[in-house]
Amino acid sequence: MELRNLITFINVAELGSFTKAAEVLDYSQSTISFQIKQLEDELGCLLFERINHTITLTERGQELVSYAHRVRSLTDEFKESFEGEKECGGHIHIVTPDSVCDEMISKSYMDFHREYPLISIKFTTADTTVMFDMLDHNEADVIITLDSHSYHKDYVIAKEQPLSMHFVANSKSKLAGAKDLSVHDIINEPFILTEYGQGYRRVFDKELAKRSLEITPILEIGRTDMITSLIAEGDMISFLPDFVTREMIDEGRLCYLDVCDMGIEIWKQLIYHKNKWMSKSLKVFIDYIKDNEFSN
């Protein structure tokens, strides 16, 4: 069994396309087809179902993915041992909500770059549905979600933690210091919220809908740094994760509102696809994120 055929198989499985695998590996599509056919003939089974120009892994193909990854991992370990110490390098694409992207770039990126200068990182922001679609099509290496708890057999949760969320307002707001507020007490106040349908905003709207309530914000924007700045200067309210607001809370510019009847559970999850090839650079990156972005 040739290693190059296994590597081709991994790329086709991850990308879900012979054409895309050919582009990534710089092969012709006929070469990709030939290598997969060689592998299928050697193993005596069909690895992909080919229907109407789409391909899906067969049951035996799904079994082979994990074996192929292990073979490739062992091969890379041997190469690393044979070549001796070598700086870790590569390209990683991470997709996150806006607020996580802003925090990671400002807090962690330069430290990571100094430690691993040969690893380049592409940050993209998207809502949760798009993130999982990108994982499924191997367009993202890893994602971080801020949403209701997600679990699916096709994904690996590398790290997760529940998030504290609060309604926040200007520290001089008429509601500052008020005890045992109900959501009905604030529903008609001017709100600034993150974009409709995204992450924790979607969960928040669903919780309101259960109570036959709805908020029409005066402004919707993905930039949580702008939301906090506007609230600190005006008389508006928002609903945000504590990691976004903590600094301004500590400075006394914002305050948490004591709203007692909105039990919303939001999770921060670091996720990658189970069929994703774990390169050394991706392992290093995931470990760094686990240690630095999920600390309390």
Side-chain angles (χ1 to χ4, degrees):
M1 186 180 300
E2 293 192 37
L3 178 61
R4 65 177 181 178
N5 289 353
L6 282 177
I7 291 174
T8 295
F9 168 74
I10 289 171
N11 277 273
V12 174
E14 287 184 344
L15 296 166
S17 166
F18 281 47
T19 303
K20 290 181 180 178
E23 292 172 358
V24 168
L25 296 171
D26 198 24
Y27 291 159
S28 67
Q29 188 167 338
S30 60
T31 299
I32 297 292
S33 299
F34 176 75
Q35 290 178 343
I36 296 300
K37 183 66 166 58
Q38 267 191 327
L39 200 53
E40 289 178 329
D41 289 345
E42 190 172 358
L43 295 172
C45 64
L46 195 66
L47 299 174
F48 294 99
E49 294 279 4
R50 303 162 176 84
I51 303 172
N52 293 331
H53 303 292
T54 62
I55 62 166
T56 55
L57 283 165
T58 63
E59 186 175 342
R60 297 309 300 271
Q62 290 174 351
E63 291 175 13
L64 182 60
V65 169
S66 61
Y67 286 106
H69 279 311
R70 284 158 59 187
V71 170
R72 184 170 175 179
S73 179
L74 288 170
T75 303
D76 280 2
E77 283 181 26
F78 173 76
K79 285 181 179 179
E80 288 168 13
S81 174
F82 187 76
E83 293 173 357
E85 289 298 320
K86 185 179 179 181
E87 279 197 89
C88 186
H91 180 73
I92 294 165
H93 186 191
I94 180 168
V95 186
T96 75
D98 288 278
S99 54
V100 173
C101 180
D102 292 344
E103 187 194 37
M104 286 181 66
I105 291 175
S106 62
K107 187 179 83 171
S108 301
Y109 173 71
M110 288 311 299
D111 288 339
F112 181 82
H113 175 67
R114 279 189 286 268
E115 191 170 350
Y116 302 101
L118 298 183
I119 298 179
S120 64
I121 302 172
K122 176 182 178 181
F123 285 92
T124 301
T125 60
D127 64 37
T128 307
T129 302
V130 173
M131 288 186 202
F132 282 111
D133 186 62
M134 293 177 77
L135 280 187
D136 289 340
H137 292 87
N138 199 36
E139 295 170 357
D141 296 310
V142 62
I143 65 173
I144 295 179
T145 63
L146 302 181
D147 210 316
S148 53
H149 192 273
S150 296
Y151 173 76
H152 191 279
K153 63 182 178 62
D154 288 338
Y155 308 121
V156 176
I157 300 171
K159 188 99 176 195
E160 63 182 9
Q161 68 180 34
L163 284 185
S164 296
M165 304 279 298
H166 281 93
F167 290 94
V168 293
N170 187 303
S171 57
K172 297 178 181 178
S173 166
K174 62 186 179 183
L175 297 170
K179 301 297 182 182
D180 299 326
L181 292 170
S182 164
V183 67
H184 290 276
D185 296 324
I186 64 171
I187 194 73
N188 294 317
E189 297 295 323
F191 270 81
I192 303 178
L193 296 174
T194 51
E195 293 164 286
Y196 178 78
Q198 295 199 15
Y200 52 82
R201 165 72 192 279
R202 178 180 55 80
V203 180
F204 175 55
D205 285 342
K206 284 176 67 176
E207 186 64 27
L208 288 175
K210 289 178 185 177
R211 304 157 188 248
S212 300
L213 297 175
E214 183 179 2
I215 289 175
T216 302
I218 61 170
L219 177 64
E220 294 176 292
I221 186 169
R223 291 280 301 277
T224 53
D225 58 332
M226 294 185 70
I227 293 175
T228 53
S229 294
L230 288 167
I231 292 174
E233 298 300 325
D235 191 25
M236 289 82 74
I237 294 175
S238 192
F239 182 70
L240 295 168
D242 288 1
F243 76 84
V244 169
T245 58
R246 189 173 294 117
E247 184 176 345
M248 285 193 176
I249 292 289
D250 292 342
E251 292 171 351
R253 300 175 64 192
L254 298 180
C255 67
Y256 295 142
L257 300 183
D258 186 31
V259 179
C260 301
D261 60 348
M262 282 290 284
I264 296 177
E265 187 176 70
I266 302 295
W267 286 77
K268 183 177 184 179
Q269 294 182 288
L270 177 66
I271 301 172
Y272 61 89
H273 200 281
K274 70 174 185 179
N275 293 335
K276 182 65 187 175
W277 160 237
M278 281 285 107
S279 65
K280 183 178 179 181
S281 58
L282 185 54
K283 288 178 184 175
V284 162
F285 182 71
I286 287 175
D287 286 343
Y288 190 90
I289 296 303
K290 287 163 67 174
D291 291 340
N292 292 274
E293 296 298 327
F294 284 79
S295 55
N296 293 323

